[in-house]
Amino acid sequence: MGGGECRSNDYGAATYWDARYSSPSSTGGSGGGRGGEFFDWYQTYPALRPLLRARLPTSSRMLMLGCGNSLLSEDMVKDGYEEVVNIDISSVVIEQMREKHMDVRDMSFFGDETFDCVLDKGTLDAMMITYGAPKERVPLLYQAGCDRKIKLYIMPTPGYQLKRSNGAPLTETIMEEVALTEEGQLPPDYVLKDPESHFIYVCQKSDAANGAPVKSCSQSHNGMHMKTNQISVD
């Protein structure tokens, strides 16, 4: 593969996302923020707000990994968060969002302890081309040299929640904290209410220098990631 060519599902390639963000929306398509339209993967800020506001002060310095053209950062700023820096692999979407072009894979331009929190909503999924279930995601979060405590929250998809409410507007978000086993996996008797649920990982990293806690958060399909604190939605 060369000359700017990319496979239709090569989610880890900048050329794929440049082409996706440049292409016009197709009627009846699955969305995905094509042609400059705003699009949020997995969960929106209103759904994630209770968890984020409970754990992240509005004065926190945020780094948004793989911002895409999601409204997450904008909604957080509107809600009072003071400093959110967006980076993405696609120069096209960065230009569309009128932000400075940065690559999520290159952190050399940030010094140590630059941010209090790092948010990832689907970026690891795209780069690894895998959903963020504990079996795949926890070993990565517990990689060598990382001393962190991980909490797992599980959220049904918006469609499932809407179906359960019989189409009525949702008054509160369904979010369940689930204790991981010693091996970092779901309890053997745990059954997902929604098979397509999203996994949210809240990682609190200890600072070896002074013992102060640092947070991290990540979301993937079935998760969310934060040096300081990381939150990952997959």
Side-chain angles (χ1 to χ4, degrees), residues 20-177:
R20 185 183 184 109
Y21 289 124
S22 299
S23 67
S25 299
S26 56
T27 304
S30 59
R34 299 177 187 272
E37 293 182 351
F38 293 113
F39 182 81
D40 266 303
W41 295 92
Y42 306 143
Q43 302 286 345
T44 62
Y45 177 67
L48 298 171
R49 185 181 187 275
L51 177 65
L52 296 178
R53 289 302 296 258
R55 291 185 168 273
L56 304 176
T58 55
S59 59
S60 299
R61 298 161 296 175
M62 306 282 185
L63 176 63
M64 189 70 67
L65 302 180
C67 62
N69 54 12
S70 166
L71 291 174
L72 182 60
S73 296
E74 179 179 338
D75 288 344
M76 290 180 70
V77 171
K78 289 179 179 178
D79 197 32
Y81 284 95
E82 300 171 6
E83 184 176 353
V84 181
V85 175
N86 293 320
I87 60 176
D88 198 278
I89 194 174
S90 170
S91 59
V92 171
V93 78
I94 289 295
E95 291 174 1
Q96 290 175 349
M97 300 289 278
R98 298 182 180 179
E99 298 287 349
K100 183 178 179 181
H101 174 217
M102 298 180 183
D103 188 338
V104 67
R105 301 166 300 176
D106 181 8
M107 297 292 175
S108 60
F109 36 74
F110 295 128
D112 290 344
E113 302 182 2
T114 299
F115 299 99
D116 301 309
C117 171
V118 175
L119 295 175
D120 158 26
K121 188 160 72 81
T123 300
L124 278 179
D125 287 343
M127 296 183 68
M128 300 175 68
I129 313 182
T130 179
Y131 291 151
K135 182 179 180 181
E136 291 82 18
R137 190 63 79 241
V138 171
L140 178 64
L141 298 177
Y142 274 135
Q143 61 186 297
C146 293
D147 180 14
R148 56 181 55 164
K149 180 178 180 181
I150 298 175
K151 288 188 177 181
L152 171 66
Y153 296 83
I154 296 180
M155 289 183 67
T157 60
Y160 177 88
Q161 297 187 52
L162 191 62
K163 184 178 179 180
R164 287 291 302 273
S165 68
N166 294 319
L170 300 176
T171 57
E172 61 181 23
T173 299
I174 302 174
M175 185 184 304
E176 177 185 9
E177 182 176 358

